[in-house]
Amino acid sequence: MTQTIPQSPIKRIPDNPPVAEVEDGGPGIAPELVEKPHVFKYEVIQGYFIQNGPKPKHLEFEQILKRNFGLIDESPERWQNLKASVKKLQSEAEEGVIYKVLFLGRHGQGWHNFAATKYGVDAWEDYWTYLYGDGEIVWGPDAELTPLGVSQAQAVQRCWKQQAPFGPPIAKEELRWFASPLTRAAHTLVESWGELLAGSPEVWEDFREILGSHTCDQRSTKTQIQERFPNFKIEEGFTEEDELWKPDDRETDAHMQMRSQRAMDRLFGENGAKETYISITAHSAIFQNLLAVLNHQPYPFATGEMIPMVIKATRVSSDS
């Protein structure tokens, strides 16, 4: 018997291919790069982490955690070697060139991910994603983590604690934290770092998931975010209500690349982060487009997955 899908209460705008709600991060393909460099052009420096290529994704995140977040250097001095190498790159950089190391972490499983698995991706994209729940579970607005999602984030924290004796760059003076304003990302950041979190994470709208249509991507109010995450610093200009999410519009890859480029230019710019090591906790679709802007190979982030990369930024404009 064929299941009849009820009419959605709002305009249906499915993602093609699905990326944001699927737990495995979607297909290992990159969106077409349409956003041109603004202030910097970016490239990934090979030879440090397995995930950066040239071989496509071939290991599950659980395997990567056992291999020191994917560090190719497996010696006891691995993190010290990384820091020394990056410092050398910085000291020898030509004018207008900046190096930073990014740790990009996707949020753990959210209730929207659970629901997409429960109903199947096609039914999710056709109907359920435009609702706020099914009478049993709630995924909108602003989907929260499932217990599995919390445990995925805590696995990252355990790995950082295991790495701590070997000197990874996770001290307050070395690392700066950023997050999407959506609850599942902010909660993942907290669980991924625990007591290792020594600074105040910064919330930027540019790091949030695809804007519009799907209820799980509608954020909470500024007041609610401040109450849930009192240690977080919310960027200036952040509105009380979510003015970016529209029920009848779905953001394009081109627009996500625009805000990815804008966020990186802001991060690497004169008024951006002085720290070399940057943690960003966000979402699969915005990361897919950020990777395109960074000229990183396609890499589908599983829920809870974190990948590091050494980035070279070369200034192409005098704007900061």
Side-chain angles (χ1 to χ4, degrees):
M1 181 176 178
T2 303
Q3 181 184 17
T4 300
I5 301 295
Q7 288 297 309
S8 170
I10 60 177
K11 184 179 178 180
R12 296 176 180 174
I13 311 174
D15 294 334
N16 186 25
V19 174
E21 277 75 53
V22 292
E23 294 192 48
D24 62 3
I29 59 175
E32 180 185 0
L33 181 62
V34 295
E35 183 64 17
K36 304 303 180 185
H38 297 177
V39 181
F40 295 94
K41 66 176 181 180
Y42 301 94
E43 61 183 289
V44 178
I45 305 300
Q46 299 284 346
Y48 292 99
F49 297 96
I50 298 169
Q51 301 95 318
N52 305 154
K55 190 174 181 179
K57 184 174 183 177
H58 58 285
L59 296 173
E60 297 300 322
F61 188 46
E62 291 78 7
Q63 298 170 288
I64 292 292
L65 287 178
K66 294 176 181 178
R67 297 182 65 169
N68 315 311
F69 287 103
L71 263 174
I72 294 173
D73 180 357
E74 297 187 81
S75 71
E77 299 77 28
R78 53 187 175 268
W79 291 107
Q80 298 298 336
N81 291 341
L82 171 69
K83 288 191 281 190
S85 181
V86 172
K87 186 175 181 179
K88 185 173 186 292
L89 287 173
Q90 291 171 323
S91 67
E92 297 177 353
E94 299 176 0
E95 184 177 357
V97 173
I98 300 170
Y99 292 91
K100 289 188 185 296
V101 180
L102 306 183
F103 297 97
L104 304 184
R106 185 187 178 192
H107 64 79
Q109 184 197 59
W111 285 110
H112 62 309
N113 303 125
F114 178 88
T117 300
K118 175 181 178 180
Y119 290 107
V121 174
D122 290 342
W124 173 262
E125 290 282 331
D126 286 342
Y127 178 71
W128 293 104
T129 190
Y130 308 104
L131 304 182
Y132 291 93
D134 63 359
E136 295 181 354
I137 58 176
V138 175
W139 55 76
D142 200 1
E144 298 186 9
L145 294 181
T146 66
L148 174 59
V150 173
S151 69
Q152 289 172 333
Q154 290 173 342
V156 172
Q157 181 187 157
R158 287 194 297 273
C159 190
W160 278 125
K161 288 180 177 178
Q162 292 167 357
Q163 297 299 311
F166 301 95
I170 58 176
K172 181 178 181 180
E173 62 274 10
E174 295 177 296
L175 185 64
R176 190 162 170 178
W177 293 265
F178 295 85
S180 156
L182 298 181
T183 296
R184 58 190 182 270
H187 190 184
T188 295
L189 189 155
V190 171
E191 297 291 346
S192 295
W193 295 95
E195 63 266 29
L196 297 174
L197 181 59
S200 295
E202 298 175 38
V203 173
W204 286 9
E205 290 270 39
D206 277 340
F207 290 134
R208 62 188 290 183
E209 188 55 296
I210 307 176
L211 300 171
S213 186
H214 297 197
T215 63
C216 56
D217 300 326
Q218 183 180 8
R219 74 158 167 82
S220 299
T221 65
K222 180 179 180 180
T223 299
Q224 289 171 326
I225 296 170
Q226 289 174 322
E227 290 174 348
R228 291 170 184 162
F229 307 100
N231 190 45
F232 283 35
K233 178 182 178 182
I234 298 178
E235 66 180 330
E236 292 184 14
F238 195 91
T239 59
E240 175 64 19
E241 302 293 334
D242 185 358
E243 299 179 3
L244 298 176
W245 186 91
K246 308 295 182 184
D248 57 353
D249 185 47
R250 190 70 169 157
E251 188 180 22
T252 63
D253 284 333
H255 193 270
M256 279 189 281
Q257 289 176 23
M258 180 277 293
R259 56 186 175 95
S260 294
Q261 178 78 44
R262 180 172 62 192
M264 289 298 99
D265 287 352
R266 180 180 171 190
L267 191 65
F268 280 80
E270 293 179 4
N271 298 318
K274 305 305 179 187
E275 295 83 357
T276 297
Y277 299 89
I278 304 295
S279 166
I280 303 172
T281 308
H283 312 265
S284 59
I286 189 62
F287 277 158
Q288 292 298 317
N289 284 282
L290 175 58
L291 293 187
V293 168
L294 295 174
N295 290 294
H296 188 287
Q297 71 165 351
Y299 194 95
F301 286 70
T303 49
E305 184 163 8
M306 175 181 286
I307 72 169
M309 60 196 68
V310 179
I311 298 296
K312 177 184 179 181
T314 304
R315 183 176 289 276
V316 295
S317 168
S318 58
D319 298 336
S320 58

